[in-house]
């Protein structure tokens, strides 16, 4: 699980918003809307997904740091953290 209810709710809201925006982009393309409008809306979808991803990584990082005291859980390595951040780049 990634975070508690208070942490995950904003992420889910962003993902739901991106889902709606993406549906809007599809409808715009199907309706033959102007390229500028489609690209603007597509950029908004991309930003919403990026923000959700960064929030997930930040939350996961905080949880990993909090779990370092737990003897049953190995903390993430530097390479694993780097891969998480690069996946969003």
């Amino acid at each position: 699980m990634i975070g508690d209810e208070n942490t995950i709710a904003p992420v889910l809201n962003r993902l739901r918003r991106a889902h709606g925006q993406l549906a809007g982009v599809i409808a715009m393309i199907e309706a033959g809307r102007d390229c500028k409008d489609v690209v603007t809306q597509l950029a908004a979808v991309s930003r919403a997904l990026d923000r959700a991803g960064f929030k997930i990584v930040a939350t996961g990082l905080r949880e990993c740091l909090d779990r370092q005291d737990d003897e049953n859980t190995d903390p993430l390595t530097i390479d694993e953290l780097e891969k998480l951040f690069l996946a969003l780049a």
Side-chain angles (χ1 to χ4, degrees):
M1 170 103 173
I2 300 170
D4 57 22
E5 245 180 74
N6 294 330
T7 305
I8 203 69
V11 172
L12 290 174
N13 287 338
R14 283 186 176 140
L15 291 174
R16 286 185 185 107
R17 187 177 314 122
H19 185 260
Q21 289 172 320
L22 185 55
V25 169
I26 292 169
M28 291 170 76
I29 292 170
E30 290 174 342
R33 293 278 303 270
D34 183 61
C35 178
K36 179 183 172 190
D37 295 336
V38 172
V39 170
T40 300
Q41 203 52 32
L42 193 56
V45 173
S46 180
R47 282 191 304 275
L49 291 174
D50 286 345
R51 288 183 180 151
F54 288 130
K55 183 75 166 180
I56 289 169
V57 170
T59 301
L61 179 58
R62 186 181 61 216
E63 287 179 1
C64 288
L65 291 173
D66 289 345
R67 284 189 280 158
Q68 283 183 341
D69 296 333
D70 184 359
E71 295 175 9
N72 298 327
T73 306
D74 293 331
L76 289 176
T77 66
I78 295 296
D79 288 339
E80 290 170 324
L81 288 171
E82 182 180 1
K83 285 180 185 178
L84 285 175
F85 282 109
L86 288 175
L88 294 171

